[in-house]
Amino acid sequence: MDGVELFLLGRALMKIGEDALPEPPGGSDRHPGSTRNTLVAASDVAAHPGTTVGEIAARTGLPQSQISTAVARLKEAGAVRTDPDPADRRRTLVRPAEHPSARVSAVRAAGVDDALAAALGPDAAPERLAEVTAALDVLARHLLSRD
């Protein structure tokens, strides 16, 4: 595998992950912004609680307008809360919600088997799905930080 193949694999895995997530209430057209940007923002907030939209944008490389949209989606879903910065009341701090909402719980509980099966194609044998699932488990164990 070379860098280009790894990059393309990453894009394919992101698409499968997006397909595995449950639709938001009211459908995906009701919520502006991409699922990908929303997940990137949520991940950054989890790693840096008490952060600002500008700081999230700087760390992720996404435009501030897209982060603002993602934070609004996360706030509506009950994944984050926002509070005025006590040191500078003009700034707003974003932090994970203390108690995850039903939507957050549903997203976290979403399985990937159906999305993986769809990506592998209708003729994929169950053994192939099991092999790919096991390979993803190995990659996650070695490449993801799980706190």
Side-chain angles (χ1 to χ4, degrees):
M1 176 174 287
D2 61 28
V4 172
E5 290 172 317
L6 180 60
F7 178 82
L8 294 174
L9 174 61
R11 287 184 49 101
L13 292 173
M14 284 192 300
K15 175 70 173 117
I16 293 167
E18 289 173 346
D19 291 346
L21 297 175
E23 282 284 319
S28 58
D29 292 339
R30 182 173 172 269
H31 300 277
S34 77
T35 300
R36 191 172 297 165
N37 291 349
T38 303
L39 290 173
V40 168
S43 175
D44 189 83
V45 171
H48 304 95
T51 191
T52 67
V53 167
E55 291 165 345
I56 298 167
R59 282 190 297 270
T60 63
L62 294 170
Q64 189 162 335
S65 62
Q66 291 178 11
I67 294 297
S68 292
T69 299
V71 167
R73 278 182 74 174
L74 291 166
K75 187 173 178 181
E76 182 179 331
V80 301
R81 72 173 212 260
T82 58
D83 301 301
D85 183 346
D88 182 350
R89 306 287 292 169
R90 295 170 294 177
R91 294 172 15 126
T92 299
L93 302 179
V94 184
R95 65 186 80 249
E98 291 178 26
H99 304 288
S101 67
R103 170 69 181 154
V104 171
S105 297
V107 168
R108 288 180 180 162
V112 299
D113 286 351
D114 291 343
L116 274 176
L120 292 172
D123 299 329
E127 300 82 25
R128 190 168 169 210
L129 176 60
E131 180 183 23
V132 171
T133 301
L136 291 173
D137 287 340
V138 170
L139 288 171
R141 187 173 63 244
H142 290 287
L143 297 176
L144 296 178
S145 162
R146 296 188 182 208
D147 298 328

